[in-house]
Every structure is written in C-alpha cells, then in structure tokens.
Amino acid sequence: MPETVVLLNPRDLVVDAARRLGLAVVVVLAPGGADPGPVPGLLLRSPWTTDPGGLVARLRELDLPGPVACFGFGEAGCSAAAVVNERMGWPGARPGTLETFRDKAKLRAAVGDRAGVPVAHGVGDTLAELGRAITHIGFPCIVKPADGTGSAGVTRLDGPADAAAWLAGPELDRPHLVEEFLRGTEYSVEAMSSPRGHRILAVTEKATTGAPHFVETGHTLPVDLGAGPAAAVADLVAATLDAAGYHYGVSHTEVMLTDAGPRLIESHGRPGGDRISDMLRLALGEDVFEQTMAIVFDRPMTTDGPARRRVAGIRYITFPGDTPVPEVDVAAVAALPGIVEAHLSATPGARPPAVRQSRDRHGFVIAAGDTREELETHLARAVAAFTRGS
C-alpha cells in the first residue's frame, strides 16, 4: 500500500514530486489558495490557516490508509502541517521545533554557545524593555519582530536619535528582538536534515537594499566560500538545527560571515523564500520537496549530491518612486536567453510602492547559466528590459 501525503496549498512542483515518489495525494486548499492544476488524488477545501483543528477532524473522518504525513512548504504551511502530524500521530517535524525557529530570541537561547561566539541580543515585550536592551547592546543595532518574516519591521538604529524616534512610535503588538549589528557578508544556507544528520545543499549569496530595512533584492546559488569558511558555516548550521531539534526536511539558515567567522542571523524549518527552491533545482538538480517527503517516510534518498552544476539567480525589479510603472511585455522578458521566469507585481501606470519589506518589491526575473558570468549577463539583460518598458 503506497504512503499518502496531505499537501497544504501545494505548488505544482510539490504535487509533481509526490507523483514521482508514487505517493497517494490529498490536496488541501485554503480559501483563496492557488489551484495547483490537475490533482492526482483527493481535493479538499479547508480554512487550515486559521483552523488546523477543523482540518484534523476532517482527516480523521477520511481514515486515510497509512502511512500518512502532512506537508506544507511555506511559513504557515509548515506550522499547520506540524500541528496536523502531531495530532494525527503522523511522522514529521513537531510544532515545538518550528516554534523555536519562529521565535528568534528562543532560537538564540537554544543555540547558546554551541556555535562559537553568540550574537549579542536582547528581547522585550514593551518599549521600555526594548529601550533598556538598546542601551545594553549599543549602536549600531538591529530591531525586529521576534517572529517576523519577509524583512517586515526590520530597522537599523545608528545612534540615540534613531532610538528615540523608534521608541516614540506606537506600543508593541508582539515581542521584538534587539541584536548587535554584524559587519560582513550575508549568506543563506539551504540544508536537508534527517535523523542521520544534516546535508548542506548550497550556500546562497544575497543582495539587499541595505539600511534601514535590508529587504532582499537578489539571490545567487551556489557560491563557493572556500574550504575553511564553508566548513565553519556548515558547523554553525548543524549546531543551529540540532539546537532546534530539526531532523525532517529542508531548512533555510541566514548567516553573516564576519572577520571573526560566521554568526547566526536566523533560521527556518522550511525552504528558503524568493524561489530559492526553484534555483536549487535549476542549478544543482536538488528537489527539496521530493527529498523532504522521502526523508519523512524513511525512503532511500534519491540523491546524495548535485545532479548537475550550474548557477541560478533571481533579481528583483525596483522602479523609481517618482514616475508611473511602465508597461512591460513580461512574456517577451521571459523569452530572453537564459530567463526561466519573469513576473511584474507593480501596477503599470501607478506609482510603485516604496520597498520597506519583501511584499513591496515590484517584480522579478529568474535565470540560470553555466557560469556566473553567463548568469549575470542573462539577468542584466532582463532587468534592463523591465526598466525600459515595452
């Protein structure tokens, strides 16, 4: 009897991965969830994002033949799947593990001294507590929601005047973290974990808008850090995942490579956002969805290393804020050499939003190439086509 997967708002790539593994598929769509196309199995509609208990009740009624596991590969999906798996007694990551990832202060406390010199930080539920933490950490420092995602709410404070202005804002609706400002080069590390250990899939180079919000504007993978730094980064990631108790599937860990070695920024028990999973598949043939499902069902891994060695990247489009967004022939951009996908988020003819968090970005292009130079040529040509307009 084949194993069954319950997939929460899956992309078509997730459904395809389940089919390749020969798994029976149950797709669960929340209201407004994107249809992944033809579903090779049962389709349910459930408000699982707000009522995972209701989904559990429906799944109990179905009495699915085992073994069964639930999977979600976004921030909300991973959390809901963990709740479902725990209540149903199915395998997979547990809610407590993912809570450790979401609470950045809790994760730093769990990692402790396992990974070398810890990042100085403090946490507060009130502005008064944060004021004391800012004084303790000193300037410059970063303030951000302890459970934030997508660069939302991230602010750099460079001195007392910045701190006073920030603290004069509205009362907090959730805990915030204050941490020392790290100087170096920021990377993300994509890894695959099983009860047998952790495997680094790729180190991803990132670009951001810089201070004050540090919104990500591009990613490139894989990059070679050199033997020594790569080993130190791998040790830091393994220590972080062990501290969180994470042993089932893909993770995304952000680190700063400083002159004194790598330092942890944050980690997540899910695939990296910004289409990093797509780029892993394009560049290295690493399918994180297929591998995660195989690990949870204790199947032999379909790969233990890259199936190919290319380079992939994404670049986000930013239009000037003082002029309307131009008309763009997105299909023509997507047809350019090396381009895999192009997307326009901003509305043509309207003034684009200021980019203060990830969801404000105006569009993107994804490309692949045999070398970094070829990749950058493809991306630059596509970005130029976007900014010129039709």
Side-chain angles (χ1 to χ4, degrees):
M1 181 180 299
E3 296 99 332
T4 299
V5 288
V6 177
L7 305 178
L8 306 181
N9 279 32
R11 297 176 61 200
D12 55 352
L13 295 175
V14 178
V15 175
D16 290 345
R19 296 180 69 176
R20 286 196 300 273
L21 290 169
L23 302 171
V25 175
V26 177
V27 168
V28 183
L29 293 183
D35 193 323
V39 175
L42 183 61
L43 174 63
L44 302 179
R45 296 190 182 275
S46 167
W48 59 263
T49 56
T50 56
D51 184 22
L55 175 58
V56 168
R58 291 194 66 183
L59 292 172
R60 289 193 192 282
E61 292 173 358
L62 290 176
D63 193 23
L64 298 168
V68 188
C70 183
F71 297 89
F73 290 100
E75 191 77 36
C78 286
S79 298
V83 171
V84 170
N85 288 329
E86 182 174 66
R87 295 185 185 179
M88 297 293 292
W90 295 344
R94 290 303 188 243
T97 295
L98 297 184
E99 174 59 31
T100 302
F101 282 120
R102 280 196 304 275
D103 188 332
K104 296 174 176 61
K106 186 175 182 179
L107 179 63
R108 292 207 185 286
V111 174
D113 295 325
R114 295 185 189 210
V117 180
V119 176
H121 68 282
V123 66
D125 294 306
T126 67
L127 291 174
E129 290 175 349
L130 283 179
R132 290 191 289 272
I134 290 168
T135 299
H136 175 71
I137 299 300
F139 301 104
C141 63
I142 298 293
V143 182
K144 59 187 177 183
D147 62 350
T149 59
S151 301
V154 177
T155 303
R156 171 176 159 168
L157 306 179
D158 285 321
D162 287 348
W166 193 88
L167 293 168
E171 281 297 326
L172 304 179
D173 59 355
R174 51 182 167 163
H176 275 57
L177 185 72
V178 182
E179 59 189 14
E180 66 175 298
F181 178 73
L182 297 170
R183 290 178 171 83
T185 304
E186 187 177 353
Y187 299 93
S188 67
V189 185
E190 323 314 320
M192 186 62 60
S193 298
S194 76
R196 291 175 286 278
H198 313 289
R199 181 171 71 90
I200 302 299
L201 303 178
V203 175
T204 303
E205 179 183 289
K206 67 168 63 180
T208 76
T209 57
H213 302 298
F214 300 95
V215 180
E216 291 162 354
T217 58
H219 305 270
T220 304
L221 69 81
V223 293
D224 184 3
L225 301 180
V233 165
D235 288 346
L236 171 59
V237 171
T240 301
L241 298 176
D242 284 341
Y246 189 71
H247 303 293
Y248 288 99
V250 60
S251 63
H252 172 77
T253 302
E254 298 173 12
V255 302
M256 185 74 75
L257 191 54
T258 73
D259 289 343
R263 298 290 181 266
L264 173 67
I265 298 175
E266 59 190 52
S267 187
H268 306 272
R270 57 164 174 77
D274 291 352
R275 302 298 183 91
I276 285 177
S277 296
D278 298 44
M279 292 187 288
L280 282 168
R281 183 172 48 84
L282 288 167
L284 303 174
E286 299 275 15
D287 189 316
V288 299
F289 310 121
E290 182 176 339
Q291 291 179 39
T292 295
M293 287 184 268
I295 285 169
V296 168
F297 287 120
D298 197 25
R299 289 195 177 193
M301 291 297 296
T302 56
T303 179
D304 59 1
R308 52 182 171 268
R309 294 188 181 277
R310 303 188 76 209
V311 188
I314 185 170
R315 298 292 181 270
Y316 283 88
I317 310 301
T318 302
F319 296 108
D322 56 351
T323 57
V325 174
E327 293 287 343
V328 178
D329 187 341
V330 178
V333 176
L336 291 171
I339 300 302
V340 177
E341 184 177 356
H343 177 76
L344 178 65
S345 305
T347 303
R351 295 292 175 91
V355 179
R356 295 189 175 92
Q357 54 188 315
S358 296
R359 66 184 182 185
D360 296 331
R361 296 173 299 192
H362 305 157
F364 66 81
V365 290
I366 299 174
D370 291 330
T371 65
R372 179 67 181 266
E373 181 180 18
E374 181 180 77
L375 171 70
E376 295 294 351
T377 298
H378 295 328
L379 289 168
R381 184 184 297 117
V383 169
F386 251 109
T387 54
R388 284 195 308 268
S390 300

